[in-house]
Amino acid sequence: MPGFHLARQHPVHLSKVILFASLLVRVVSAEIWCGKNYREGQPVAPPQGVFPSSVQLQTPEFAFKCLPRVQPYLERDNCSSASVIVDTSLTSVHFRHSVPLPSESFVSLNAASSSTSLGLILTVGVEDHNTSYQNTEFDVKNLELPLSLCSLLPRREPYSITCTAKIRLFNGTTHTYNYTSSLLYLPTPGPGPGSVTKLDRKTGALMTHSGNDKFEPIFPIGFYTDFGYLASNLTILDEIKSQGFNMIHPVPPFHNEVTLDAVLHRLDEIGLFLVYDMRHSYQDLTSIAQEVKSIMNHRSLLLWYTADEPDGPGDPLDATQAAYNLIYSLDGYHPVSAALNCADYYFEEYASGADIILPDVYMIGNNVNFSLKYNTPCTKDFGCCGCDNCQGHFDDISNRLDKTIEKLGLLGWDSTKFIWAVPQAFGGEEFWTRVPTGREWLLQALLSINHKARGIMPWIDPTPKDIKRYASRLAQLLPQLTPFFFGDDVKFSRVKFPYLDVGTWRKGRKSLIIATNLNPESANSDLRVDGQNKVDWILQEGVSLSITGHIIFEPMGSAIFLNSIVEDEPLGHVHDEF
Ligand SMILES: *[C@@H]1O[C@H](CO)[C@@H](O)[C@H](O)[C@H]1NC(C)=O
Ligand SMILES: *[C@@H]1O[C@H](CO)[C@@H](O)[C@H](O)[C@H]1NC(C)=O
Ligand SMILES: *[C@@H]1O[C@H](CO)[C@@H](O)[C@H](O)[C@H]1NC(C)=O
Ligand SMILES: *[C@@H]1O[C@H](CO)[C@@H](O)[C@H](O)[C@H]1NC(C)=O
Ligand SMILES: *[C@@H]1O[C@H](CO)[C@@H](O)[C@H](O)[C@H]1NC(C)=O
Ligand SMILES: *[C@@H]1O[C@H](CO)[C@@H](O)[C@H](O)[C@H]1NC(C)=O
């Protein structure tokens, strides 16, 4: 997080001791943040590394992807129940994985797209085994097809999967397209207690298991937490667990091995998941290798965390990818995460090295247009105000998450990389004059969930009691919400009114609704939900029900509720008034 970013431009071969010292004195030597100059007197130079804007096509292309649904599959899994997920579409926007159709053919495709004469044959092949599916649907997202692993031997090395899409035009000509991806089918881990975290690419859920039970989706929620604070009193870990959090992210430096071991041992014991942070060492492959080997057998390990805001100071562009490859070569049983701070700075390069990307957008209590710290304005081309290219509104958070999802989509990474949120839970330092209130914290978290965050990891504990209380409340509710977030048969939709952000997860005859009012002051917002009598409240924060059956939101109020469907429309007429 930017509060500490000035320490991060030091080359990583510096010892932890020196890094720690520089955190305290805030040594300033970086010339850029997010590719921009930010010191008084420096020239304005537009940042490099801007993500290319999407290309509108004159003639449509064929976008085709095919990936193992779960990473990794394990020896002990039922070898007949693995699957691939397939996306096929004709697109008028170019994706990294979309390819032109032969120019003469798209006319007939267009003509045939609604007719039954357009055929699609999908073939999924791994090693020598191909399975063909005739006349599969054309415009599909996440079509799930079985993939048998029964003839494969589990091994550390990835298998390669080749999928072929054969499009048959109505006059009989065919065009063939391939997509190759890798499949992890790993031996049972061991020795040691061990743990495995799977990533379900259909839902974006991490999957964990307790004991030998089957894997279940988990919505991870837990704070970045100061290591010194934890190490001072191990009972804090029990308290965090009892508050409902399911994971913790201790922030290095980790003092010494004995203290680290004591903390990790306690996590293993009480069943609180660990995000293991290598921010200071992730560019040092020797150090990564040592850390991965010593940590990977901990039962509590959920996720690796490499770079913390590498895009801020502009770490080497291949650094996250190099760390990622090494971690997978040594482990492979746990996904890799990294936090990105910039709105638009070499996204592809930095994101390439993570399965979970955490955009951290801190817009509370800072002037996002003028930096008091550096006495300069902040613009698209210059300055550092603690929130890159922000407007100072809550929309900064949802816009950043949406943009991140959009970039992942264009790169063809939307089924392999997922985002988590980093709600602001600090302030009164550097750019941020105050801490968020508990209600503001909740708003950030719920808004992020509506915008596809699959985990919540606020910066930073110790945090004010007010924030902790709200976070704990949400953590305790999550087990009720998770089946909606990660259900196989759930339809998600989102409606945005000027201020109300409303997400709906519909599962059978029930809908989960999360709504939050981004208006920080004055007017109340008002949401009408049909089937009023069917509303089951899960959380009401600054929200009440009027006698006319409207839900009234105070500024920054939030609601979570279930709505049973009477007719076909879940939210027949949702509207808001000001
Ligand atoms: C394995 O999966 C297949 C396909 O889903 C299922 O038919 C079979 O019953 C499963 N076997 C076991 C032992 O669970
Ligand atoms: C089928 O249609 C395509 C595109 O119009 C054309 O290139 C091809 O020659 C046709 N093939 C036959 C067998 O008519
Ligand atoms: C599987 O499909 C690939 C690609 O279409 C092909 O080259 C290969 O011969 C097929 N293998 C078998 C055993 O059918
Ligand atoms: C698709 O894969 C098959 C078999 O691997 C190969 O023979 C063929 O040339 C590939 N086609 C394309 C368009 O890459
Ligand atoms: C250790 O932390 C627990 C939980 O916060 C607290 O109840 C206890 O008083 C602390 N002990 C000491 C010695 O500070
Ligand atoms: C910052 O500037 C933007 C664009 O000029 C404006 O929309 C926004 O309200 C300003 N924010 C603050 C906190 O002054």
Side-chain angles (χ1 to χ4, degrees), residues 363 393-399 401-402 421 440-453 456 494 496 499-502 505 514-518 558:
M363 41 60 63
H393 310 145
F394 288 111
D395 299 281
D396 289 333
I397 297 169
S398 40
N399 289 342
L401 298 188
D402 291 352
E440 284 172 324
W441 184 90
L442 183 67
L443 189 167
Q444 298 177 70
L446 296 183
L447 179 63
S448 301
I449 291 174
N450 277 357
H451 291 261
K452 307 236 162 140
I456 300 283
R494 189 174 56 230
K496 179 69 185 358
Y499 285 108
L500 269 188
D501 195 282
V502 184
W505 288 259
I514 296 184
T516 189
N517 180 9
L518 310 195
S558 294

Side-chain angles (χ1 to χ4, degrees), residues 229 232-240 243:
Y229 162 69
S232 71
N233 176 356
L234 290 184
T235 311
I236 293 170
L237 295 173
D238 301 68
E239 188 183 32
I240 287 169
Q243 287 165 335

Side-chain angles (χ1 to χ4, degrees), residues 123 128-130 164:
T123 306
D128 285 338
H129 295 266
N130 293 346
T164 305

Side-chain angles (χ1 to χ4, degrees), residues 290-562:
Q290 282 166 1
E291 291 181 73
V292 167
K293 283 179 200 154
S294 83
I295 302 297
M296 63 190 245
N297 289 325
H298 275 281
R299 189 182 315 159
S300 54
L301 179 63
L302 181 74
L303 195 64
W304 302 109
Y305 184 90
T306 57
D308 186 66
E309 306 183 339
D311 49 349
D315 286 358
L317 296 178
D318 58 356
T320 59
Q321 177 82 70
Y324 182 89
N325 292 344
L326 177 61
I327 293 169
Y328 267 90
S329 76
L330 295 167
D331 178 38
Y333 295 94
H334 305 88
V336 176
S337 65
L340 297 183
N341 186 245
C342 304
D344 194 7
Y345 190 62
Y346 289 107
F347 176 81
E348 177 178 356
E349 286 79 356
Y350 293 120
S352 69
D355 304 302
I356 309 287
I357 295 157
L358 296 106
D360 53 357
V361 188
Y362 306 131
M363 41 60 63
I364 296 173
N366 46 340
N367 183 335
V368 297
N369 293 337
F370 190 86
S371 174
L372 287 177
K373 177 167 175 162
Y374 300 114
N375 196 37
T376 66
C378 290
T379 67
K380 288 226 179 286
D381 300 332
F382 190 89
C384 179
C385 285
C387 196
D388 192 31
N389 293 358
C390 288
Q391 303 280 308
H393 310 145
F394 288 111
D395 299 281
D396 289 333
I397 297 169
S398 40
N399 289 342
R400 182 74 61 81
L401 298 188
D402 291 352
K403 281 262 161 55
T404 305
I405 297 268
E406 186 190 326
K407 289 173 193 167
L408 292 176
L410 289 169
L411 291 166
W413 290 348
D414 52 335
S415 315
T416 46
K417 299 182 187 298
F418 296 89
I419 56 169
W420 289 12
V422 187
Q424 182 178 344
F426 70 95
E429 56 173 281
E430 217 182 0
F431 307 103
W432 302 272
T433 56
R434 67 173 183 91
V435 290
T437 62
R439 182 180 282 192
E440 284 172 324
W441 184 90
L442 183 67
L443 189 167
Q444 298 177 70
L446 296 183
L447 179 63
S448 301
I449 291 174
N450 277 357
H451 291 261
K452 307 236 162 140
R454 296 290 194 251
I456 300 283
M457 198 193 282
W459 182 274
I460 180 176
D461 202 14
T463 192
K465 280 210 170 65
D466 187 31
I467 291 180
K468 203 53 171 305
R469 206 170 53 240
Y470 279 77
S472 165
R473 210 162 128 204
L474 179 60
Q476 284 166 347
L477 295 176
L478 276 169
Q480 272 184 77
L481 315 182
T482 306
F484 287 91
F485 297 152
F486 300 134
D488 240 2
D489 48 348
V490 173
K491 287 220 173 353
F492 174 71
S493 60
R494 189 174 56 230
V495 193
K496 179 69 185 358
F497 301 104
Y499 285 108
L500 269 188
D501 195 282
V502 184
T504 304
W505 288 259
R506 181 170 170 178
K507 186 180 167 72
R509 303 188 62 76
K510 271 214 160 143
S511 291
L512 169 72
I513 291 135
I514 296 184
T516 189
N517 180 9
L518 310 195
N519 193 345
E521 54 211 7
S522 67
N524 287 341
S525 287
D526 173 331
L527 180 72
R528 203 179 92 218
V529 182
D530 287 354
Q532 214 36 253
N533 48 338
K534 304 282 189 211
V535 167
D536 289 335
W537 287 104
I538 295 176
L539 176 144
Q540 281 174 275
E541 168 60 30
V543 162
S544 56
L545 201 55
S546 79
I547 44 168
T548 52
H550 290 214
I551 300 173
I552 314 287
F553 290 74
E554 292 168 17
M556 301 180 288
S558 294
I560 307 180
F561 57 94
L562 296 174

Side-chain angles (χ1 to χ4, degrees), residues 104-105 108 169 171-173:
E104 72 284 6
S105 69
S108 56
L169 303 184
N171 72 355
T173 351

Side-chain angles (χ1 to χ4, degrees), residues 162 164 176-178:
T162 301
T164 305
T176 304
Y177 301 89
N178 288 349

Side-chain angles (χ1 to χ4, degrees), residues 12-264:
V12 285
H13 57 257
L14 291 181
S15 75
K16 281 177 182 170
V17 175
I18 296 173
L19 279 163
F20 191 46
S22 64
L23 287 176
L24 298 177
V25 299
R26 302 269 166 89
V27 175
V28 175
S29 66
E31 295 307 320
I32 58 164
W33 189 259
C34 296
K36 303 173 187 178
N37 285 329
Y38 60 82
R39 313 191 139 272
E40 228 176 335
Q42 282 182 325
V44 173
Q48 310 283 303
V50 170
F51 195 83
S53 43
S54 61
V55 178
Q56 290 293 325
L57 300 164
Q58 299 295 315
T59 57
E61 292 186 340
F62 180 57
F64 173 49
K65 271 194 306 165
C66 172
L67 296 153
R69 171 166 177 179
V70 171
Q71 162 143 312
Y73 286 106
L74 300 177
E75 181 172 8
R76 62 167 227 232
D77 292 343
N78 180 344
C79 66
S80 325
S81 63
S83 60
V84 292
I85 48 171
V86 181
D87 295 353
T88 60
S89 67
L90 286 183
T91 172
S92 57
V93 174
H94 176 69
F95 291 94
R96 183 61 62 82
H97 59 286
S98 65
V99 287
L101 293 157
S103 58
E104 72 284 6
S105 69
F106 77 90
V107 176
S108 56
L109 273 174
N110 274 350
S113 59
S114 58
S115 93
T116 50
S117 55
L118 177 69
L120 178 64
I121 302 169
L122 288 172
T123 306
V124 181
V126 52
E127 296 286 280
D128 285 338
H129 295 266
N130 293 346
T131 315
S132 280
Y133 302 90
Q134 306 283 333
N135 287 322
T136 41
E137 282 174 81
F138 200 72
D139 211 348
V140 291
K141 169 101 185 128
N142 278 338
L143 172 70
E144 191 169 4
L145 300 173
L147 169 73
S148 172
L149 306 177
C150 300
S151 64
L152 304 179
L153 285 176
R155 65 180 197 201
R156 305 254 338 147
E157 187 197 335
Y159 284 95
S160 171
I161 294 194
T162 301
C163 297
T164 305
K166 199 180 274 185
I167 302 176
R168 195 180 57 243
L169 303 184
F170 56 90
N171 72 355
T173 351
T174 60
H175 295 287
T176 304
Y177 301 89
N178 288 349
Y179 190 92
T180 302
S181 58
S182 82
L183 162 76
L184 280 186
Y185 184 38
L186 300 178
T188 301
S195 74
V196 181
T197 307
K198 296 184 175 201
L199 179 56
D200 179 349
R201 290 160 162 172
K202 188 168 179 185
T203 62
L206 294 193
M207 315 265 289
T208 58
H209 62 110
S210 47
N212 279 331
D213 297 336
K214 69 193 231 317
F215 282 80
E216 302 280 359
I218 176 179
F219 191 103
I221 181 168
F223 283 71
Y224 287 88
T225 307
D226 180 73
F227 185 77
Y229 162 69
L230 288 180
S232 71
N233 176 356
L234 290 184
T235 311
I236 293 170
L237 295 173
D238 301 68
E239 188 183 32
I240 287 169
K241 167 100 179 166
S242 73
Q243 287 165 335
F245 299 103
N246 52 22
M247 59 112 171
I248 188 165
H249 178 147
V251 176
F254 297 136
H255 299 186
N256 56 57
E257 258 175 52
V258 177
T259 320
L260 179 61
D261 275 353
V263 168
L264 299 188

